[in-house]
Amino acid sequence: ILKAARVDDNPVEAWKKHNKNLADKCAKMNELDFEYLEYSNSLGTNLKIELAPTNIWLAGSEEARVSKIVFNPNMPTEEVFGMPKRDGVNGIVYSALPLSYQGQLIENFNIRFENGKAVEAHAEKGEELLNQMISMDEGAAYLGEVALVPYSSPISQSGILFYNTLFDENASCHLALGNAYTM
């Protein structure tokens, strides 16, 4: 946990360096101004995600509105994240890692999207819970975030499932259902 949160050796300098690296990645992604991302993998993923016209890639540190103090709202963090177009997600995505949700595991799952909405979901374990998540309200069936995480992230390299979303989402690229960030 300490290694993943970069507090095992000179944490202040480690976080300055890491935040600069994340900011540089965001700047490059924003400069490239992608219209969409396409995903495929050996598990069967074939997914196209159009990005919102106002998408801004974000990551790492933020500045407090009033005090202007720079802080990291999430530790650890490895992701650069953006916002999908609400009706611009089509295809199927297969999980590469299990999802821990409310103390239960959802394993070997897939979700099919049409015009942005999750219309079908299956799992070898936890299928009922997965479908409950997707149907809890209208917004839960849509993607609110697409995140890119390098394979070299400390959490990915650890090979540990932490059973904690803050840690586990930093193990691989991921998609998040529900509302997008307000920025």
Side-chain angles (χ1 to χ4, degrees):
I1 289 173
L2 294 177
K3 183 176 181 173
R6 289 182 169 75
V7 295
D8 58 340
D9 182 41
N10 197 348
V12 172
E13 285 306 311
W15 276 98
K16 283 181 183 177
K17 181 179 176 183
H18 186 54
N19 281 328
K20 173 149 182 7
N21 181 40
L22 290 171
D24 290 347
K25 288 178 180 180
C26 287
K28 183 65 173 177
M29 295 295 288
N30 288 322
E31 177 186 318
L32 292 170
D33 195 26
F34 292 107
E35 291 180 22
Y36 60 89
L37 303 173
E38 289 188 39
Y39 290 79
S40 63
N41 70 17
S42 61
L43 300 171
T45 295
N46 183 6
L47 186 71
K48 181 176 180 179
I49 301 173
E50 293 177 55
L51 298 172
T54 57
N55 178 60
I56 299 170
W57 292 95
L58 299 169
S61 62
E62 295 180 26
E63 183 177 87
R65 291 181 189 153
V66 176
S67 69
K68 304 297 182 193
I69 294 172
V70 175
F71 69 100
N72 279 79
N74 290 328
M75 287 182 156
T77 185
E78 302 295 327
E79 67 183 281
V80 172
F81 58 95
M83 184 172 64
K85 183 179 174 195
R86 181 173 170 86
D87 62 354
V89 181
N90 287 288
I92 191 164
V93 61
Y94 283 81
S95 67
L97 298 171
L99 172 63
S100 176
Y101 181 71
Q102 295 183 342
Q104 298 180 60
L105 278 183
I106 303 170
E107 297 182 84
N108 300 320
F109 63 94
N110 64 73
I111 304 173
R112 189 169 57 82
F113 292 88
E114 289 181 4
N115 301 314
K117 187 173 185 176
V119 294
E120 184 178 0
H122 299 286
E124 284 183 19
K125 179 180 177 185
E127 183 170 322
E128 184 177 332
L129 180 61
L130 177 62
N131 281 295
Q132 285 174 2
M133 286 174 51
I134 292 169
S135 63
M136 71 175 60
D137 62 44
E138 180 63 23
Y142 292 86
L143 289 186
E145 176 185 289
V146 55
L148 305 175
V149 175
Y151 181 73
S152 62
S153 86
I155 296 166
S156 174
Q157 294 304 302
S158 78
I160 296 170
L161 179 64
F162 287 89
Y163 300 91
N164 177 290
T165 301
L166 180 60
F167 277 81
D168 293 337
E169 74 176 0
N170 285 284
S172 74
C173 296
H174 60 271
L175 308 172
L177 295 164
N179 286 338
Y181 48 91
T182 59
M183 296 86 84

